[in-house]
Amino acid sequence: MDLRAGDSWGMLACLCTVLWHLPAVPALNRTGDLGPGPSIQKTYDLTRYLEHQLRSLAGTYLNYLGPPFNEPDFNPPRLGAETLPRATVDLEVWRSLNDKLRLTQNYEAYSHLLCYLRGLNRQAATAELRRSLAHFCTSLQGLLGSIAGVMAALGYPLPQPLPGTEPTWTPGPAHSDFLQKMDDFWLLKELQTWLWRSAKDFNRLKKKMQPPAAAVTLHLGAHGF
Amino acid sequence: METRPKVWLKDFLPEDFRRGSHRFGLWIGTTSAPVRYTAQPSSVTRLPSGPAGWPGRPWPGQQQRCAGRRASAAEFSVSAFPSQASTTSPSHRRPPARKVRVARSRLPQDPVRLPRGTEGRRIPVGPRSAKSAKQDGKLQKTSPLCPPPRFSRNSRPSALAPQLIHSPGPGRLGTSAPPSTPAPAPAPAPHTPRRTRPGSRSPSPAAKAELMALFEVFQTTFFLTLLSLRTYQSEVLAERVPLTPVSLKVSTNSARQSLHLQWTVQNLPYHQELKMVFQIQISRIETSNVIWVGNYSTTVKWNQVLHWSWESELPLECATHFVRIKSVVDDARFPEPNFWSNWSSWEEVSVQDSLGQDILFVFPKDKLVEEGANVTICYISRNIQNNVSCYWEGKQIYGEQLDPHVSVFHLSSVPFIRKTGADMYCEVSQGNVSTSIKGIVLFVSKVLEEPKDFSCETRDFKTLHCTWDPGVDTALGWSKQPSQSYTLFESFSGEKKLCTHQNWCNWQITQDSQETYNFTLIAENYLRKRSVNILFNLTHQVYPMNPFSVNFENVNATNAIMTWKVYSVKNNFTYLCQIEVYCEGKMKQQYNVSIKMNGEYFLSDLEPFTEYMARVRCAGASHFWKWSQWSGQNFTTLEAAPSEAPDVWRNVNSEPGSHIVTLFWKPLSKLHANGKILFYNVVVENLDKPSKSELHSVPAPAKSTKLTLDRHSYEIWVTANNSVGASPASIIVISADPENQEVEEERIADTEGRFSLSWKPQPGDVVGYVVDWCDHPQYTLCDLQWKNVGPNATSTVISTDAFRPGVRYNFRIYGLSTKRIACLLEKKTGYSQELAPSDNPHMLVDKLTSHSFTLSWKYYSTESQPGFIQGYHVYLKSKARQCHPRFERAVLTDGSECCKYKIDNPEEKALIVDNLKPKSVYEIFVTPFTSAGEGPNATFTKVTTPDEHSSMLIYILLPMSFCVLLIMIGCYLKSQWIKETCYPDIPDPYKSSILSLIKFKEKPHLTIMNVSDCIPDAIEVVSKPEGTKIQFRKSLTETELTKPNYLYLLPTEKNHSGPVPFICFENLTYNQATSDSGSCGHVPVPMKPPPSQLGLMISPENVKKALGKNYMNSLGEISAGGTNLNYVSQLASPMSGDKDSLPTNPVEPSNCSEYKRQMAVPLCLASPPLTENSSLSSITLLNPGEHYR
């Protein structure tokens, strides 16, 4: 909220906006739909479920890669894997992001990660691993749809992928197998961090969208100024 | 993504060849140039032999001719070698290395095609390559020539031999300065070898121009001279010019870690093939560090570009390599002495410069090796200050330092770890932070196994089905290596087929004529190839199709014809078929039969009415390979007449005038029934008088029948019948005489569920013996069993599962006479296992005296017990410690002690127990015993012996009681007298005779005074000092006894406020009627109490209350005074008492005139009957319970 104390005009405007939006307040407007709240909750739940699912999948896959990738203290510098969207972001920067940006980043990240993950699935050697990966991909696709739903509910446009920038899985000849394994390692690691971050994002959003509903309206109204 | 590291030789196209030969022509033109200098033979050896400096134009007209001459010149060229050898610079001279910059571009890893003739053949890289290289290129290591190479363990040359690759680039050689080897003849002293630097190899441009000009001038002039002298001149030239490898070029293949050399041989005669040996030296890091020296022998053609490659065990990126080469002619046509050419200059091969700017590299890049291989890995660190640590499969490893930047790790005998490869990585760390990480994945493949159990067979002569055991799957993840492929190759037809399955493959037989096949199964992966071979005749590998249409014809009781068919696969192919006949799961018959197409076999010796299963399988008759699957069918033979007479026995009960004969028979076994038994025929024939035989037909399931026969001898025939016919008859004769039952029963000992019976042999002719018994003797239907024993036997053992422990079985042994008459010989009885008695006898105690009593249990049955009763145990418990004589001390199961007496005779069912003490308690218990033990525990019966004097008492008591009885009778009879004597009737004054006297004197005013008629005003009570209990009734209002001597009974003015008290005096000795009328009739006025008063007084509580303490007190005080009333004065009523009229007509109170002294009576006898006439209040007050407590 970017309201400042002493800004009487702002306060007045806010008051007017509150009154103006009063019919739109969910608590008062009982006839309308429930707003983005339930879909955010669903997205949050799905994120947590994916976090759980990834934990077992990553264990299996890293064992499949073998040491050092399955060693708990293996923490290599991030070389290569530049195309993977990074989940780590400075806390201040993250706080400064608005909901739209956050959701957009999430959506874009999972679009990319999903694509890489499908590549991972293609080259997995064991049928069981392929099944697990396919299942996870389906869940991740669901998450992507869920985020898109939340964005639509909040009135944000979906990010359009630029032509030609569509990430593709190209295991080029220059890519050594070790680097390939590193990429897989980082893919799973980033996925883990992204899910952790998304859970925080959706939790934050959920709290924001929940009553006191007036605050939500106030917030939306304040953006109008 | 690695591709298959296969190497194929380049296409050798005819077009190239033609072009090449055209250039050869050019070469010939130019190479012949030096011939012109042969005009000065002495100077020939000084002239440079390289024609390259002469880029002369082609001479079309001369090409063919020159070619012919060149060929002839070559024939002599080697003869000059010996002289050349002496002048050749020694091999140890090291010319300066010429650095070859190797482009980082990858060498094509794609397969290179082999030249024609060997096209399609793949030469795999790997363990085999070195071998093949040796074979093809006759490569030989000459280790004595070089110091022991540091990394020569796995280094191996892989010559791409035979090197017939025609290089398209001789033009370049022709146009560029030729890599002239030092000319042998003009070679200076050995210590000044000719330089090999390319820049200094060519003559100077000025000298070249001069030579060219000179050549142009004299060309035409000396041409004919040249032609005439060519032979001689060529010979001289050959003697002078050595065959030196030139144009050595080295390229690398990083993936294969191989150096690829190509060179040409200078001064080779035109169209001449020469066998040559090339010696190649390879150094690492610096030229002096020779790590490998080897010879490569091959046949060299004119102008041929030779190729040879060498595989390094150390990745080429890890160190700089140097290569040089020299040659010698090794051809039989040119005998010794040969001499080596000079070494070529060192060619330096360095890949490191093109790596890039990273700070760390690990080589080789991902590698595929076989299990057990040795792998060398190195890392290159740009900065020697960096701390690099390397890990193999998660564990740190330490290598050896090759130079300050490079460290090498040797992994020996790497095992198969996982399909996704094993990781080796190095990381550069600063502090604890890793700044860079590089690694490789080493893919270790399992060793491809040779296919096992490879065999092929056919079922229909159209397809061959080949199978094998593939062994381990060598597939690796990440598409590094797929599963091994299998290829089937047939050598006679030359056909090949790639199999799609890992363990079988089908091969179509296309030529009917081909009988013999030679199959090679080739298993192949990226690293290895293995093959197995089988050679077989098709007709020997026949796995026939299963027989079909199995049928049975002409089936009768004992035989059948079995028919079947087999698929016709080939003319005149004979099958061997095997038939098996099963009955009830067991194989009964087995036959082998040889057939062509339709099989038929006669099955005999079958049992009638039996279900059989017959099956057949076939195999090739000429050469057994494999049986087909079984094909079978069930069939049942027809019925036949029963083959054996039923086993029949009888039981005869003799009744007056008749025999009740029960016939028993055993069902025929399946073997003898030969069908389903429908009924049994019983024919009875009287033997004593001729009569018609009787036929009884008994339906099949029955196993017995009952006949009533009169007292004649009868012969009974029993036959079993099925649908086909009757069995032989069993004959039994029933004698007219009743059966002798007077045979003593013998006991037999039990022997673990079996009975061993023996008997005395029957005198006379006996056809056999029969033992019968009941399986369930305890039931009415006792299930008679019998056993036939031969005539010579005198014993048998009966054993069946039906025998139960504790059951008595009775056996009868009969002898069968020749007339088939059974005669009872012996009876046996016994238990399969004796048990302890199940119950104890009911015991009776009688004849009880003070010293003895008699026990008896005469109703106890010894027969129906689960064992033979051998006797009884009598247990006696008493307080006495000593046991009686005959008794012995015993301890019971509960630990208590008692005395035991044993009776050994089971029929002795009584015992006199004597020597007892009088007036004592004895506990007694009787239990039978068998060989298995005693009966169950039960409670002891208590017997108390009477007192010794009790009889005397009886003697006294009886007369006494008799006397009493007599007295009582006497009393009864004399009751009147007694009454009169003891308690005479009190005379009734009303009935007294005095009244009549009075009436008689007519004194009407005289009457008998009734006590109620007068109202006493005072009663004087005379106290007695001993205190007599007085029944005293007084007014309720009178609460004080201040004047004990007088009771004021009349109401006074002052105390008349409450209810009127009244008092009744009763003379209880009076007649009841009289007293009644008088008791309550004397009621003062007012006579009737008000209802309220009545109600008040009726309530017992009120009465109690009212009486309460006062009354009790008064009573107490009064009672304290005395216990007997001394006298009661009686007032005689003047009126005669009519009780009916009393209440209604109360008499007027009159003055008391008379008192009559009365006899005092005890109070207890004075219970006055209450009547309805009595005053209610009086009733209430006179509640005796309240008064007398």
Side-chain angles (χ1 to χ4, degrees):
Chain A
M1 290 229 259
D2 41 4
L3 285 177
R4 282 187 298 276
D7 191 347
S8 58
W9 281 106
M11 288 299 289
L12 186 67
C14 284
L15 211 63
C16 292
T17 319
V18 167
L19 290 173
W20 179 254
H21 285 95
L22 216 52
V25 172
L28 302 173
N29 185 12
R30 289 176 186 278
T31 52
D33 65 342
L34 296 169
S39 66
I40 294 169
Q41 177 65 42
K42 254 189 241 171
T43 314
Y44 172 77
D45 292 343
L46 187 56
T47 313
R48 296 308 302 267
Y49 169 67
L50 276 166
E51 261 189 300
H52 167 76
Q53 211 181 336
L54 181 64
R55 219 166 291 145
S56 73
L57 175 69
T60 315
Y61 194 83
L62 294 179
N63 273 334
Y64 166 73
L65 294 184
F69 302 100
N70 60 350
E71 286 167 1
D73 51 351
F74 181 61
N75 190 21
R78 186 167 153 152
L79 302 171
E82 286 88 1
T83 48
L84 284 175
R86 281 175 188 268
T88 44
V89 63
D90 183 58
L91 187 67
E92 287 304 317
V93 175
W94 183 69
R95 278 184 180 160
S96 70
L97 295 176
N98 59 25
D99 294 336
K100 184 184 171 185
L101 264 173
R102 273 200 201 100
L103 285 169
T104 308
Q105 281 195 1
N106 269 293
Y107 186 84
E108 283 175 347
Y110 288 120
S111 308
H112 281 69
L113 290 167
L114 181 64
C115 182
Y116 289 126
L117 210 58
R118 282 179 176 148
L120 207 69
N121 190 15
R122 275 196 286 276
Q123 60 173 1
T126 66
E128 191 196 342
L129 201 57
R130 270 203 294 276
R131 256 200 310 279
S132 307
L133 278 164
H135 179 61
F136 188 80
C137 282
T138 315
S139 305
L140 200 63
Q141 181 75 56
L143 178 65
L144 211 55
S146 207
I147 297 171
V150 172
M151 289 178 80
L154 294 173
Y156 303 144
L158 280 183
Q160 292 299 317
L162 291 173
T165 58
E166 182 71 25
T168 47
W169 186 261
T170 48
H175 226 54
S176 79
D177 290 320
F178 188 77
L179 281 179
Q180 186 65 58
K181 284 188 174 184
M182 286 282 271
D183 283 358
D184 292 354
F185 174 83
W186 276 107
L187 170 62
L188 293 172
K189 196 158 184 170
E190 283 298 345
L191 204 53
Q192 223 155 13
T193 325
W194 267 110
L195 286 170
W196 178 81
R197 177 179 160 179
S198 297
K200 283 187 78 110
D201 285 350
F202 295 126
N203 197 34
R204 200 181 162 95
L205 196 62
K206 188 175 69 177
K207 280 181 183 164
K208 225 181 208 180
M209 293 296 161
Q210 269 172 359
V216 176
T217 320
L218 194 66
H219 171 75
L220 292 174
H223 271 292
F225 285 89
Chain B
M1 201 66 65
E2 285 281 346
T3 55
R4 287 180 75 164
K6 295 277 176 187
V7 176
W8 294 82
L9 298 183
K10 284 172 78 175
D11 276 333
F12 183 70
L13 298 174
E15 192 184 342
D16 293 338
F17 183 77
R18 281 194 298 275
R19 202 184 307 133
S21 60
H22 179 75
R23 284 172 189 153
F24 292 162
L26 231 101
W27 261 83
I28 293 159
T30 52
T31 48
S32 60
V35 175
R36 275 168 252 162
Y37 296 99
T38 56
Q40 295 173 320
S42 57
S43 65
V44 167
T45 51
R46 287 186 281 114
L47 282 174
S49 60
W54 298 61
R57 292 180 296 275
W59 297 353
Q62 289 183 345
Q63 276 181 14
Q64 294 303 319
R65 280 180 295 158
C66 291
R69 285 177 207 139
R70 182 72 184 171
S72 59
E75 288 169 11
F76 307 99
S77 60
V78 188
S79 61
F81 280 5
S83 61
Q84 197 179 20
S86 59
T87 55
T88 306
S89 59
S91 61
H92 66 266
R93 286 182 198 152
R94 201 177 301 134
R98 184 167 62 95
K99 192 162 188 176
V100 175
R101 289 285 168 204
V102 178
R104 182 97 174 88
S105 63
R106 259 166 211 270
L107 277 185
Q109 296 177 20
D110 293 330
V112 181
R113 289 191 183 281
L114 285 171
R116 297 267 155 81
T118 55
E119 192 174 16
R121 183 175 167 204
R122 290 174 155 209
I123 302 171
V125 178
R128 189 184 168 276
S129 61
K131 187 184 166 190
S132 62
K134 276 180 191 170
Q135 285 169 346
D136 296 337
K138 298 184 178 58
L139 183 76
Q140 292 156 2
K141 283 191 179 180
T142 54
S143 53
L145 288 174
C146 59
R150 280 179 71 192
F151 297 104
S152 62
R153 248 186 312 161
N154 283 340
S155 301
R156 49 188 179 254
S158 58
L160 305 178
Q163 303 292 7
L164 299 175
I165 301 169
H166 182 85
S167 169
R172 192 166 66 107
L173 287 170
T175 50
S176 65
S180 56
T181 46
H191 63 272
T192 55
R194 294 288 296 267
R195 39 102 325 246
T196 56
R197 191 167 287 278
S200 59
R201 257 178 242 165
S202 308
S204 67
K208 192 176 173 185
E210 193 182 343
L211 280 170
M212 290 281 281
L214 191 65
F215 178 73
E216 289 293 330
V217 173
F218 290 101
Q219 187 176 28
T220 320
T221 314
F222 289 101
F223 184 65
L224 288 172
T225 316
L226 173 73
L227 284 175
S228 59
L229 298 172
R230 61 188 158 77
T231 306
Y232 174 70
Q233 287 162 348
S234 296
E235 190 177 358
V236 173
L237 183 71
E239 280 175 358
R240 299 293 179 183
V241 180
L243 296 173
T244 312
V246 292
S247 306
L248 175 65
K249 288 201 292 183
V250 184
S251 56
T252 59
N253 184 338
S254 286
R256 288 180 48 203
Q257 299 179 194
S258 65
L259 293 176
H260 187 78
L261 277 66
Q262 66 176 47
W263 70 94
T264 54
V265 179
Q266 203 179 18
N267 301 334
L268 204 65
Y270 180 64
H271 277 200
Q272 179 74 44
E273 281 191 357
L274 258 184
K275 208 174 169 190
M276 290 184 74
V277 176
F278 298 93
Q279 192 173 71
I280 299 156
Q281 265 191 355
I282 296 169
S283 303
R284 185 172 285 163
I285 301 170
E286 54 185 13
T287 52
S288 60
N289 179 28
V290 176
I291 56 159
W292 192 87
V293 177
N295 284 357
Y296 166 50
S297 300
T298 187
T299 308
V300 188
K301 286 179 186 170
W302 180 79
N303 213 10
Q304 181 189 347
V305 178
L306 292 156
H307 294 261
W308 181 83
S309 63
W310 175 79
E311 211 169 286
S312 166
E313 49 119 34
L314 182 75
L316 297 176
E317 292 89 349
C318 303
T320 309
H321 288 79
F322 302 91
V323 183
R324 68 176 180 177
I325 189 168
K326 67 177 180 180
S327 62
V328 68
V329 173
D330 180 26
D331 204 311
R333 290 173 292 179
F334 304 99
E336 300 283 334
N338 293 335
F339 62 94
W340 284 97
S341 72
N342 284 337
W343 283 108
S344 69
S345 58
W346 285 103
E347 293 288 331
E348 182 185 335
V349 186
S350 174
V351 200
Q352 278 190 13
D353 295 344
S354 57
L355 288 180
Q357 297 304 314
D358 273 347
I359 55 168
L360 182 71
F361 300 93
V362 178
F363 291 105
K365 284 195 169 178
D366 309 319
K367 198 170 170 66
L368 171 67
V369 294
E370 206 170 51
E371 202 175 10
N374 299 327
V375 180
T376 305
I377 300 168
C378 76
Y379 76 77
I380 302 164
S381 172
R382 292 285 191 211
N383 188 351
I384 55 170
Q385 307 296 329
N386 282 340
N387 181 19
V388 180
S389 40
C390 294
Y391 301 87
W392 163 250
E393 275 297 294
K395 286 178 186 167
Q396 190 166 4
I397 50 171
Y398 303 93
E400 94 186 57
Q401 202 163 32
L402 207 62
D403 71 26
H405 295 275
V406 181
S407 279
V408 177
F409 303 89
H410 299 289
L411 304 175
S412 54
S413 290
V414 285
F416 171 83
I417 295 170
R418 68 181 74 78
K419 287 190 168 186
T420 50
D423 302 302
M424 191 266 179
Y425 72 99
C426 299
E427 60 181 359
V428 178
S429 50
Q430 290 173 347
N432 287 330
V433 183
S434 138
T435 56
S436 180
I437 183 166
K438 285 285 164 67
I440 66 155
V441 184
L442 186 65
F443 287 91
V444 182
S445 161
K446 286 181 180 168
V447 179
L448 177 65
E449 293 177 0
E450 195 173 79
K452 292 183 275 291
D453 306 329
F454 176 45
S455 69
C456 296
E457 63 194 18
T458 182
R459 301 200 82 165
D460 52 4
F461 287 87
K462 288 174 185 163
T463 309
L464 266 170
H465 180 68
C466 299
T467 55
W468 60 89
D469 175 10
V472 293
D473 185 7
T474 60
L476 292 174
W478 304 67
S479 308
K480 226 33 174 182
Q481 178 174 266
S483 295
Q484 63 266 32
S485 67
Y486 289 91
T487 311
L488 214 51
F489 173 69
E490 206 284 304
S491 63
F492 293 116
S493 62
E495 288 176 16
K496 188 179 265 189
K497 186 184 179 184
L498 183 67
C499 299
T500 48
H501 295 91
Q502 288 287 298
N503 58 348
W504 64 271
C505 203
N506 278 344
W507 180 274
Q508 293 299 323
I509 297 171
T510 50
Q511 297 174 343
D512 286 342
S513 56
Q514 187 176 358
E515 286 205 337
T516 312
Y517 288 82
N518 186 5
F519 275 109
T520 306
L521 177 70
I522 304 151
E524 198 174 355
N525 64 8
Y526 288 170
L527 300 171
R528 197 181 276 266
K529 190 178 195 177
R530 286 191 183 265
S531 63
V532 282
N533 184 269
I534 49 167
L535 175 72
F536 61 89
N537 191 321
L538 188 62
T539 53
H540 292 177
Q541 305 285 110
V542 180
Y543 171 40
M545 306 280 263
N546 301 343
F548 61 101
S549 295
V550 178
N551 278 314
F552 299 93
E553 295 166 2
N554 300 335
V555 180
N556 59 35
T558 55
N559 48 48
I561 295 170
M562 180 181 182
T563 61
W564 68 95
K565 288 180 179 174
V566 286
Y567 288 96
S568 170
V569 290
K570 209 171 185 185
N571 289 336
N572 295 322
F573 189 80
T574 313
Y575 289 101
L576 171 72
C577 294
Q578 192 173 57
I579 301 162
E580 284 181 356
V581 181
Y582 281 80
C583 176
E584 292 173 346
K586 288 179 185 168
M587 193 178 73
K588 300 287 181 188
Q589 298 172 4
Q590 190 181 43
Y591 310 101
N592 285 338
V593 56
S594 189
I595 63 157
K596 289 282 183 194
M597 223 177 100
N598 294 322
E600 185 180 301
Y601 196 79
F602 181 74
L603 303 174
S604 57
D605 299 331
L606 304 174
E607 298 293 338
F609 195 59
T610 306
E611 187 176 10
Y612 286 96
M613 194 277 283
R615 59 182 196 171
V616 61
R617 62 179 180 179
C618 298
S622 60
H623 189 275
F624 179 83
W625 167 248
K626 204 182 262 188
W627 287 112
S628 70
Q629 299 288 312
W630 290 102
S631 295
Q633 195 73 263
N634 288 356
F635 70 100
T636 306
T637 48
L638 300 181
E639 289 190 10
S643 59
E644 204 166 79
D647 185 5
V648 178
W649 187 236
R650 89 291 177 280
N651 187 29
V652 181
N653 286 326
S654 297
E655 287 189 3
S658 67
H659 291 306
I660 308 291
V661 178
T662 313
L663 288 172
F664 299 92
W665 54 86
K666 291 175 184 169
L668 285 173
S669 68
K670 200 167 176 297
L671 182 69
H672 298 125
N674 289 346
K676 190 181 178 187
I677 299 297
L678 301 174
F679 55 90
Y680 294 90
N681 276 344
V682 179
V683 179
V684 182
E685 191 184 352
N686 195 328
L687 294 177
D688 296 342
K689 59 180 183 181
S691 64
K692 216 175 175 183
S693 301
E694 280 179 48
L695 171 67
H696 304 268
S697 191
V698 184
K703 291 197 285 182
S704 66
T705 188
K706 200 173 261 189
L707 304 170
T708 306
L709 306 174
D710 55 12
R711 294 231 174 210
H712 287 104
S713 293
Y714 283 92
E715 190 172 64
I716 301 171
W717 302 53
V718 181
T719 55
N721 296 264
N722 63 14
S723 63
V724 176
S727 70
S730 266
I731 302 164
I732 270 189
V733 175
I734 306 295
S735 165
D737 305 322
E739 211 168 74
N740 175 26
Q741 297 290 345
E742 304 301 318
V743 178
E744 191 149 326
E745 192 175 71
E746 237 182 86
R747 282 186 183 180
I748 44 174
D750 57 332
T751 48
E752 295 172 356
R754 304 152 51 124
F755 292 97
S756 296
L757 307 175
S758 60
W759 56 90
K760 290 170 191 164
Q762 172 82 342
D765 292 336
V766 173
V767 295
Y769 297 94
V770 175
V771 181
D772 75 357
W773 71 94
C774 283
D775 264 354
H776 305 291
Q778 65 268 43
Y779 304 128
T780 315
L781 292 171
C782 76
D783 194 7
L784 184 75
Q785 305 290 319
W786 68 95
K787 185 180 179 182
N788 294 307
V789 187
N792 300 322
T794 55
S795 68
T796 186
V797 174
I798 309 290
S799 169
T800 98
D801 291 338
F803 289 148
R804 296 280 173 267
V807 177
R808 182 184 283 201
Y809 294 98
N810 299 307
F811 299 91
R812 294 184 296 186
I813 299 158
Y814 290 86
L816 279 179
S817 70
T818 47
K819 292 180 180 175
R820 310 290 305 176
I821 298 173
C823 170
L824 181 65
L825 303 178
E826 287 182 30
K827 281 183 177 176
K828 310 268 182 187
T829 183
Y831 293 86
S832 70
Q833 185 192 341
E834 280 193 72
L835 300 179
S838 56
D839 56 348
N840 292 319
H842 180 66
M843 197 171 55
L844 292 172
V845 178
D846 58 355
K847 297 180 185 171
L848 178 68
T849 67
S850 54
H851 292 287
S852 70
F853 59 83
T854 305
L855 283 173
S856 69
W857 53 94
K858 56 187 173 184
Y859 298 112
Y860 184 72
S861 163
T862 54
E863 297 300 309
S864 58
Q865 296 302 322
F868 292 118
I869 300 294
Q870 296 178 346
Y872 306 92
H873 286 147
V874 179
Y875 292 97
L876 183 70
K877 276 189 198 173
S878 68
K879 285 181 181 174
R881 295 202 171 177
Q882 292 288 323
C883 279
H884 297 82
R886 299 188 295 161
F887 280 77
E888 60 184 18
R889 188 157 289 282
V891 179
L892 294 174
T893 50
D894 61 355
S896 58
E897 287 192 349
C898 64
C899 301
K900 184 168 106 176
Y901 179 69
K902 188 176 176 184
I903 301 170
D904 285 330
N905 181 6
E907 297 308 319
E908 189 182 322
K909 296 178 183 175
L911 176 70
I912 298 167
V913 185
D914 49 10
N915 293 325
L916 305 178
K917 288 182 180 170
K919 215 177 174 182
S920 296
V921 178
Y922 291 92
E923 289 179 81
I924 197 144
F925 168 57
V926 177
T927 180
F929 64 90
T930 66
S931 63
E934 289 183 345
N937 288 334
T939 51
F940 282 71
T941 306
K942 282 187 180 176
V943 179
T944 310
T945 49
D947 194 358
E948 204 172 3
H949 305 289
S950 60
S951 54
M952 289 175 69
L953 271 174
I954 288 168
Y955 295 138
I956 296 166
L957 278 175
L958 272 175
M960 276 183 71
S961 48
F962 182 70
C963 289
V964 169
L965 192 67
L966 279 178
I967 292 166
M968 284 174 72
I969 291 167
C971 286
Y972 178 72
L973 292 174
K974 294 291 181 183
S975 60
Q976 196 58 38
W977 175 79
I978 291 168
K979 185 187 175 184
E980 283 172 7
T981 312
C982 298
Y983 49 97
D985 279 340
I986 298 167
D988 188 348
Y990 287 98
K991 293 174 183 171
S992 133
S993 55
I994 296 169
L995 280 179
S996 57
L997 282 173
I998 292 167
K999 281 179 184 174
F1000 188 72
K1001 288 175 181 175
E1002 293 180 349
K1003 289 180 181 172
H1005 59 277
L1006 288 173
T1007 183
I1008 298 168
M1009 190 189 72
N1010 212 339
V1011 74
S1012 57
D1013 290 345
C1014 62
I1015 301 167
D1017 51 353
I1019 295 171
E1020 187 182 351
V1021 177
V1022 182
S1023 298
K1024 279 195 165 182
E1026 61 269 21
T1028 312
K1029 192 171 180 183
I1030 298 166
Q1031 184 187 6
F1032 199 79
R1033 297 165 191 180
K1034 63 175 181 177
S1035 166
L1036 287 170
T1037 55
E1038 196 171 31
T1039 55
E1040 291 181 359
L1041 286 171
T1042 51
K1043 293 173 182 173
N1045 292 335
Y1046 298 96
L1047 293 171
Y1048 294 95
L1049 298 172
L1050 285 176
T1052 57
E1053 285 298 320
K1054 61 177 181 184
N1055 60 9
H1056 193 252
S1057 58
V1060 181
F1062 57 96
I1063 193 162
C1064 288
F1065 282 87
E1066 287 175 287
N1067 187 339
L1068 298 172
T1069 58
Y1070 285 177
N1071 186 319
Q1072 187 176 344
T1074 314
S1075 63
D1076 281 350
S1077 60
S1079 63
C1080 295
H1082 316 289
V1083 180
V1085 179
M1087 293 304 289
K1088 285 185 181 174
S1092 60
Q1093 278 180 358
L1094 186 64
L1096 183 69
M1097 301 313 279
I1098 282 169
S1099 167
E1101 284 79 13
N1102 292 343
V1103 175
K1104 272 190 195 169
K1105 230 181 211 173
L1107 287 172
K1109 166 187 163 187
N1110 294 339
Y1111 180 74
M1112 290 305 290
N1113 286 345
S1114 61
L1115 192 65
E1117 285 161 14
I1118 292 164
S1119 62
T1123 54
N1124 290 319
L1125 198 60
N1126 197 19
Y1127 62 90
V1128 176
S1129 62
Q1130 181 180 338
L1131 297 179
S1133 173
M1135 291 174 63
S1136 63
D1138 186 358
K1139 64 179 181 182
D1140 290 333
S1141 61
L1142 266 174
T1144 50
N1145 300 309
V1147 289
E1148 285 298 317
S1150 58
N1151 294 327
C1152 293
S1153 56
E1154 288 180 11
Y1155 284 93
K1156 191 176 179 180
R1157 189 175 180 93
Q1158 294 292 338
M1159 185 180 121
V1161 290
L1163 281 172
C1164 60
L1165 296 174
S1167 58
L1170 296 172
T1171 65
E1172 287 176 2
N1173 296 334
S1174 305
S1175 163
L1176 284 170
S1177 57
S1178 167
I1179 291 166
T1180 312
L1181 285 169
L1182 285 172
N1183 188 343
E1186 293 292 333
H1187 288 244
Y1188 304 104
R1189 277 202 278 185

